[in-house]
């Protein structure tokens, strides 16, 4: 990821290479406020994904599923308002297949505008 104080601009261009470069910049740039996440993003061509897909709830969009190495995930941070039932689903998946993954919860700090990231143990 690239972290920046400024949002990348996108302008329609007749040049395909320039348009792709701008799109790439949009997909891989976040505010510097998120730099602590050390996020890694990956873009995969649909023809490289499995034929499996799911329809996202309350949406017309399909989400295509891709295989990835289990060791590529080291931690998951869930939001403080995530329903317990959803959190438990994630915990079951982690404990079954992704033993190295640590689960955290992001909560608003009581004294600052920061997020406190707290380990979850189930």
């Amino acid at each position: 990821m690239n972290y920046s104080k400024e949002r990348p601009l996108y302008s329609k261009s007749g040049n395909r290479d320039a348009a792709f470069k701008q799109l790439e910049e949009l997909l891989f740039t976040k505010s510097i406020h998120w730099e602590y996440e050390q996020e890694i993003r990956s873009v995969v061509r649909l023809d490289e994904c499995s034929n499996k897909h799911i329809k996202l709830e309350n949406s017309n969009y399909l989400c295509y599923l891709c295989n990835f190495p289990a060791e590529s995930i080291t931690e998951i941070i869930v939001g403080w308002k995530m329903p317990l039932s959803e959190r438990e689903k994630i915990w079951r998946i982690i404990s079954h297949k992704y033993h190295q993954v640590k689960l955290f919860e992001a909560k608003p700090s009581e004294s600052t505008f920061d997020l406190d990231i707290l380990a979850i143990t189930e």
Side-chain angles (χ1 to χ4, degrees), residues 82-98:
M82 175 179 266
L84 183 59
S85 61
E86 295 300 311
R87 188 179 297 194
E88 288 171 345
K89 286 179 192 177
I90 292 171
W91 185 258
R92 281 194 299 276
I93 292 169
I94 289 171
S95 59
H96 175 69
K97 187 173 181 180
Y98 302 95

Side-chain angles (χ1 to χ4, degrees), residues 9-52:
L9 298 176
Y10 181 79
S11 60
K12 292 184 179 181
S13 169
N15 181 321
R16 183 179 170 156
D17 290 337
F20 183 78
K21 178 110 175 96
Q22 286 181 347
L23 180 59
E24 188 176 63
E25 190 174 352
L26 284 169
L27 289 172
F28 291 101
T29 302
K30 288 177 78 169
S31 165
I32 59 170
H33 297 97
W34 296 103
E35 194 168 13
Y36 71 91
E37 287 184 329
Q38 298 177 330
E39 178 179 339
I40 298 172
R41 288 188 182 176
S42 176
V43 175
V44 180
R45 292 170 44 108
L46 285 180
D47 61 1
E48 294 175 357
C49 294
S50 68
N51 290 329
K52 296 179 185 176

Side-chain angles (χ1 to χ4, degrees), residues 63-96:
C63 180
Y64 287 83
L65 307 177
C66 299
N67 293 324
F68 58 89
E71 63 274 6
S72 66
I73 298 178
T74 58
E75 63 185 44
I76 296 173
I77 302 174
V78 299
W80 64 291
K81 291 186 176 183
M82 175 179 266
L84 183 59
S85 61
E86 295 300 311
R87 188 179 297 194
E88 288 171 345
K89 286 179 192 177
I90 292 171
W91 185 258
R92 281 194 299 276
I93 292 169
I94 289 171
S95 59
H96 175 69

